[in-house]
Amino acid sequence: MLYEIVCDKFKINKISFNSGLNAVIGTNEGDNSIGKSTFLLIVDFVFGGNTYSKSEDIIKNIGEHNIKFAFKFDDDIYYFCRMVTNTNVVYICDESYNNIKEISLKDYCNWLGNKYDFLVQHTTFRQEISRYIRVYGKNNANERLPLHGFSQEKTDEAMCELLKIFNYYEPIHEILEISNKSKEELKTYKNAQKYRFISKISKNEYKNNINEIKNIDSELANLTKNLDQGLIDAEAVVSEEAIEIKKSLSRARRMRSKSRVRKEKYDENNEYKFSQTTSDFEDLIYFFPNVDIKKIEEIESFHKNISKIFKKEIRREIKKAELEIKEYDDLIKEYEKRLKELIVDTNLSKKILKRHSELKNRKEELELKNSSYDKLQELNNNKSINQQRVSNIKKEQLSILSNNINLEMSRLNKIIYNNENNAPILTFTTNSYSFITPDNTGTGIAYKGLVIFDISVLNLTNLPIIVHDSFILKQISDKAIEKILDLYIKSGKQVIIAFDKQDSYTERTQKLLDESAILYLGPNGNELFGKSWG
């Protein structure tokens, strides 16, 4: 539970909280600009929100300041601090609110969600809890659109978030992933067609291609049938055997060329003659009388020996290359012989092969185009099927969800009105929803419906807290308010409200508010920050 909020700028530095209902009480005159909504925005700030820190008038009139706060889980109290000018971090503190460690806002929210056992799949703690902290300035208290976390949120997303908090979203998510994948595949395929990596044809072209393929098949059949089998078998010409022989022949010729090139290099090296320098020794002695002729002769002898070894190695490599060339020559002759045996009549074979190849290539071209068309139809069909599956499972889950919420809202409404007024009803279509109270469109009834909806979600899920500003509650009838306070208390969870004009309500209402009050605010120095700038 939220245990306390501390701020050096507050008129009362520390505000402690109850585990159940917590009321921030204004004046009987309903004075504004005393800090009720501001304090609730600070509660939102404590739960990871940023609306408070974005209020320019706060910084302008109060200056930079820190919000310190603590949570209590079981018997342990955890202390934290957030700066209004650096909202992306949260400081873990000791009990005197000295900063110990800095963590990210995301990690803090995950920690808080884990402690509350409120980590919902496919969304975040902050995303869910923010919806039920309804404070002036957050734009999430439209009494006709209770699912919306903010006014511009897409309706479908708001519906999905409600499904998530009730743990009804997982089956939709699984099918939605498949659906999104099929959409992406279709998009990718269309882009490939757009940039002409894949053929794109019309339905009429597809039909025409089928007819042409039939004609090609007929001509290929006649071509084979009418040939003298003794002369040529057209299929044999293009058989796998012929293809493999051609590949092997090409490879053998390639290897023979390499061996020939290598032999030519060795032949050049073999013709190289080692130069003789002995005849030049006399000239050398003439110019250099003290030169060591014996040493030079030893070097000369060494060079001659090296030359002999070099020549010997070259001759061995030449023989090796010649042997390779001969082996490749024999292999090439064998391949050429085998290939020639497949083509008895060369001239006829060339003609048949050319026509056969033309027909085969054309058929493959047409089949490839039609295959692209078939693939596109398949992808479109998959997309439609998966979208329909998503729609069907979503309808089922929304039906279960609305039934559960409507039953709980009916039960709560009966406690408040004892069947004197209709309960609000939440209904869904695939991508929209409506929230109305049948036969009653009054403002007070609409806000009552909003409150009942929030309490229903609080009762049916692990949602740990709801926050309602005074502008929501002041619209509701006096009689209903007393029962709503009872419902807040009976929820067994923390509820924080702002309230004013309490003396105009029943004695029991006043008693419940007094018992749950954590902060009294008023004008003339009794504002939240001890002053007003409104």
Side-chain angles (χ1 to χ4, degrees), residues 85 91 101 180 258 282 292 310 396 402 458-459 526:
T85 54
Y91 294 94
K101 181 181 178 182
N180 288 338
K258 288 183 180 180
E282 292 180 358
D292 189 347
F310 180 68
E396 292 175 10
S402 61
L458 190 69
N459 291 342
N526 294 312

Side-chain angles (χ1 to χ4, degrees), residues 116-133:
Y116 272 121
D117 190 24
F118 190 59
L119 290 176
V120 182
Q121 276 192 311
H122 311 301
T123 187
T124 64
F125 171 83
R126 177 61 199 169
Q127 178 81 343
E128 289 299 340
I129 205 164
S130 174
R131 298 170 183 278
Y132 303 94
I133 301 177

Side-chain angles (χ1 to χ4, degrees), residues 128-378:
E128 289 299 340
I129 205 164
S130 174
R131 298 170 183 278
Y132 303 94
I133 301 177
R134 303 189 191 270
V135 186
Y136 181 80
K138 285 189 79 228
N139 297 318
N140 68 336
N142 186 328
E143 70 277 19
R144 309 292 179 185
L145 299 172
L147 276 60
H148 279 62
F150 52 94
S151 58
Q152 301 303 316
E153 184 177 27
K154 293 180 180 179
T155 299
D156 183 62
E157 291 177 1
M159 291 162 57
C160 286
E161 291 302 320
L162 186 63
L163 284 162
K164 291 171 186 176
I165 197 175
F166 277 83
N167 294 320
Y168 290 155
Y169 184 72
E170 183 61 27
I172 299 172
H173 175 75
E174 292 175 357
I175 299 175
L176 190 60
E177 280 196 324
I178 297 172
S179 179
N180 288 338
K181 184 179 179 181
S182 64
K183 286 180 184 177
E184 190 61 32
E185 287 176 347
L186 178 59
K187 180 181 177 182
T188 302
Y189 201 80
K190 285 184 174 180
N191 282 336
Q193 289 184 322
K194 177 181 177 181
Y195 295 107
R196 302 185 185 281
F197 295 126
I198 299 174
S199 299
K200 182 180 181 181
I201 60 174
S202 66
K203 188 173 182 179
N204 284 336
E205 287 177 290
Y206 179 82
K207 292 179 178 179
N208 291 337
N209 289 347
I210 291 176
N211 291 331
E212 188 174 348
I213 289 171
K214 288 180 180 178
N215 293 335
I216 289 174
D217 285 337
S218 178
E219 186 174 349
L220 285 171
N222 290 333
L223 187 65
T224 303
K225 181 180 179 181
N226 294 331
L227 284 174
D228 182 352
Q229 294 299 317
L231 286 177
I232 183 170
D233 184 343
E235 288 298 322
V237 176
V238 291
S239 68
E240 289 296 328
E241 183 182 359
I243 293 172
E244 289 303 318
I245 291 173
K246 287 179 180 179
K247 287 181 180 178
S248 299
L249 179 60
S250 177
R251 188 161 49 246
R253 285 170 175 168
R254 228 174 19 250
M255 297 305 296
R256 184 178 64 180
S257 295
K258 288 183 180 180
S259 296
R260 283 175 174 173
V261 170
R262 195 165 74 253
K263 181 180 178 299
E264 288 172 0
K265 289 182 179 179
Y266 287 137
D267 287 339
E268 289 176 2
N269 289 326
N270 192 42
E271 292 173 2
Y272 174 80
K273 296 190 180 296
F274 188 81
S275 60
Q276 300 293 326
T277 58
T278 306
S279 60
D280 298 322
F281 286 176
E282 292 180 358
D283 293 336
L284 185 65
I285 294 172
Y286 178 81
F287 289 102
F288 301 94
N290 298 322
V291 69
D292 189 347
I293 295 298
K294 184 178 181 180
K295 189 70 175 177
I296 294 176
E297 287 176 344
E298 288 176 357
I299 294 172
E300 183 75 357
S301 175
F302 173 77
H303 285 169
K304 289 179 180 179
N305 290 332
I306 287 294
S307 176
K308 291 177 182 179
I309 294 171
F310 180 68
K311 291 283 188 178
K312 185 177 181 181
E313 287 296 323
I314 288 177
R315 284 194 292 273
R316 183 162 53 235
E317 288 298 325
I318 289 173
K319 288 181 179 180
K320 183 179 177 182
E322 288 173 344
L323 182 61
E324 287 179 0
I325 293 169
K326 184 178 184 308
E327 289 176 349
Y328 285 129
D329 283 338
D330 293 340
L331 191 60
I332 289 168
K333 288 178 182 178
E334 176 63 24
Y335 285 144
E336 288 175 342
K337 179 182 177 183
R338 288 171 57 189
L339 188 61
K340 189 174 182 179
E341 288 174 354
L342 292 176
I343 307 175
V344 179
D345 187 318
T346 306
N347 294 328
L348 180 58
S349 296
K350 288 181 178 179
K351 294 176 183 177
I352 296 299
L353 181 59
K354 182 179 179 182
R355 181 55 182 163
H356 192 280
S357 177
E358 288 174 352
L359 292 172
K360 283 285 189 180
N361 290 340
R362 178 57 178 166
K363 181 181 177 181
E364 288 175 3
E365 178 188 349
L366 296 174
E367 287 178 336
L368 186 60
K369 288 182 177 180
N370 279 14
S371 177
S372 298
Y373 181 87
D374 288 335
K375 185 64 176 178
L376 182 63
Q377 302 314 304
E378 178 188 343

Side-chain angles (χ1 to χ4, degrees), residues 433-444:
Y433 72 93
S434 69
F435 185 76
I436 61 170
T437 299
D439 302 325
N440 198 325
T441 57
T443 302

